[in-house]
Amino acid sequence: MKENVDSIDSKIIERANALRQALHHHNYRYYVLDDPEVSDAEYDRLMRELMGLESEYPELKTPDSPTVKVGAPPLNRFESVAHSVPMLSLDNAFADGDILEFDRRARKNLGTEDKLLYTAEPKMDGVAVELVYEGGRLVMASTRGDGFTGEVITENIRTIRSVPLVLKGDGHPVPERVEVRGEVFMEIERFKALNTARVDRGEQPFANPRNAAAGSLRQLDSAITAKRPLDIFFYGVGNMAGVEIDSHWETLCLLKDLGLKINPLIRPKIELPQVLEYYREIAEIRHRLPYEIDGAVIKIDSIPFQRQLGAKSRSPRWAIAYKFASIQETTRIERIEVQVGRTGALTPVAHLQPVSVGGVTVSRATLHNEDEIEKKDIRVGDQVLVQRAGDVIPEVVKVIPSTRTGKETTFEMPNDCPACGMQVVRAPGEALRRCNNAACPAQRKARIRHFASKGAFDIDGLGTKLVDKLVEKELVHSYADLFYLDVTTLEAMERMGSKSAKNLIEAIGKSKKVPFRRFIYALGIRHVGENSARLLEENYRDLAGLMAASGAELEAIEGIGPEIAQSIAHFFGKEKNRETIRRILESGLEITFPEPKAEKKSFAGKTFVLTGTLPTLKRAEAKAMIEAAGGKVSGSVSRKTDYLVAGESAGSKLDKAKELRVEIIDEVRLKELLQS
Ligand code: IVH
């Protein structure tokens, strides 16, 4: 009864073609550019629709259909490597029924009536990677790529703190060669701090923690990756030589014993009803987790069963992803407002018809900048898809053009500041327009809000509305004025009871004892986020020293680039800012400084000399490791040398060390010393 393509309704053929094209495009955006245009849920929906059509009309299938591929080919920038066992994707379930059906089919395929045991895991929303350990040493790491071929990112993976470079042998013989698989991710708080720092530096923020993780792994310069707070959980193996294990859970336990991080929320060997319970439990706690998960992965625990079931082209028959309902909704853009930030940057913000997105009412979403608006072709009156990821500011994912009525209007960024009327400028290479009027009321309000915010002075009860009113009533011009407010003045304001007035004055009083880094951050110096403020705190023992520092001096601090250094020097060079700081200090402010850390590093006071070729470490790496532990690396052996680290074909330094009876160690011993 094989149908001929000609006999299929042309509408269906067209639809399949359109879906294929869309999926190819989204694959490219996602896998190659790391810049997806649609949510995963939207992508999954398109994929399911195409898979549905192809299974109903098998003759529609083409050899290049996105349904037979796992992703797009990797870029040529990194070396490629073939995975010895393909890194498959997972089928998705969206309801309990899908899981029951999965279980039923698996038992049918296995020819068993018995209950199956499952191991259930959080589905990490990150980037899949494979690490190869040989003789216990990390020798290679790669991305999943298209599932068959990935990109070699060994150096980048080495930079992740939780990735062991050498496996532990605790109780188990270390497998001669093992391919381990896991998900690289970025914790939400760390992602937010990274984005703040990026915005401070005028760089484009990442859309979400997964993009931040992917972008960080896709760096040709691993020094950049090293600065990104990446983490990893391992969830499986590819090939593993010489070890026979017949349960997935036991595989995970082995990984754990080898020193590889596994997710503590994994629930081993449970029956079907507990699997459904598990899904509900993690759905309940997901918003309290420090990282993003997008569902649960349910795996048949028995490895013989896994082998027996095998895989389809994209996904195994022994595992399924039970995805959470996506936190996206559609709503309408009522108007677009332009906000002026504390550094004068103009940001377009969409005011939305309020809509509940995953239980939180969303009425505004950032549109980032004018290029974004143009790229997404966003118009006032448009029906749009909005999404909220964790605590991140809601954003417009895309327009739904099919709902357009023709009444929508395009939006243009203003040429004048909406708050003060001064002409705005968009500097070449910048995505944002700026108002350069330091007296602009919108900037003043934003600076004061920033000053009172959580990471800064953290003044309880000083919210947006109150700040706006204080500035509008000219009771506060700069943040220094906050410290000169009194109860009488506040009480005289509309809708301000004497109790709230007293509370606010008390809160301001309490904030007067402030750690140095918070003080620096609160000043609102352009490009200086919490991270830079912390670096400055580590490098200056008092405020006067920081205020007198030249750009060149600041730039010498590791982590402070030229742009930040210039900005700091410029800020403190301005008499107006110095005056504001003087006034703050005169109000009785107390800046506290961290206790100087008693440097108790293991290699403190020890001098090392390196010679010959070490088996795994490059000389620069060994040097960095020794220095990080407080040791010194010198170029020549003398009586002051404590250790000579000798590798292959060591020369005269080795002879000299023997002569002077300097202790000679190899790389393995060096690593042991570093660990102890
Ligand atoms: S198992 C054949 N376990 O989900 C088994 N995957 O859609 C495939 N993922 O590429 C993977 N958490 O990036 C597995 N606990 C987990 C996972 C997980 C996240 C990702 C992984 C994979 C994708 C499959």
Side-chain angles (χ1 to χ4, degrees), residues 123-182:
K123 184 166 192 304
M124 299 299 300
D125 197 5
V127 183
V129 293
E130 176 171 86
L131 279 63
V132 182
Y133 286 88
E134 276 175 11
R137 290 201 157 77
L138 176 63
V139 292
M140 215 255 305
S142 56
T143 61
R144 169 171 155 213
D146 64 3
F148 301 98
T149 308
E151 293 169 330
V152 177
I153 51 162
T154 317
E155 295 311 316
N156 292 346
I157 288 293
R158 279 186 203 279
T159 69
I160 299 176
R161 311 289 181 279
S162 46
V163 167
L165 300 178
V166 181
L167 294 176
K168 297 195 303 164
D170 285 13
H172 289 271
V174 174
E176 192 38 47
R177 185 174 184 286
V178 58
E179 300 164 356
V180 293
R181 289 163 177 195

Side-chain angles (χ1 to χ4, degrees), residues 31 70 86-92 120-129 144 181-184 233-236 248 263 266 294-299 314-316 318-321 323:
Y31 289 107
V70 191
M87 292 182 77
L88 296 175
S89 173
L90 291 167
D91 282 348
N92 290 323
E121 309 175 6
K123 184 166 192 304
M124 299 299 300
D125 197 5
V127 183
V129 293
R144 169 171 155 213
R181 289 163 177 195
E183 194 90 346
V184 172
F233 279 129
F234 292 91
Y235 55 62
H248 173 64
N263 194 312
I266 295 174
D294 56 354
V297 182
I298 319 295
K299 301 175 182 174
R314 297 175 72 234
S315 50
W318 47 265
I320 190 164
K323 300 277 281 272

Side-chain angles (χ1 to χ4, degrees), residues 593-604:
F593 295 86
E595 290 285 314
K597 276 195 215 107
E599 287 276 329
K600 262 205 82 191
K601 289 186 169 168
S602 51
F603 284 6

Side-chain angles (χ1 to χ4, degrees), residues 391-463:
D391 293 342
V392 188
I393 307 167
E395 61 170 1
V396 170
V397 180
K398 62 166 201 166
V399 171
I400 305 166
S402 56
T403 58
R404 277 197 177 142
T405 63
K407 290 206 185 111
E408 297 75 17
T409 51
T410 53
F411 169 81
E412 265 180 45
M413 286 293 279
N415 292 317
D416 300 326
C417 171
C420 72
M422 180 117 139
Q423 202 177 43
V424 296
V425 281
R426 179 172 173 180
E430 270 216 36
L432 299 169
R433 296 181 185 214
R434 273 177 208 283
C435 161
N436 287 325
N437 173 15
C440 169
Q443 286 184 50
R444 272 197 282 148
K445 287 174 186 170
R447 277 199 295 271
I448 295 167
R449 273 201 303 274
H450 172 79
F451 187 84
S453 71
K454 256 200 144 63
F457 272 71
D458 194 12
I459 302 174
D460 234 10
L462 191 57

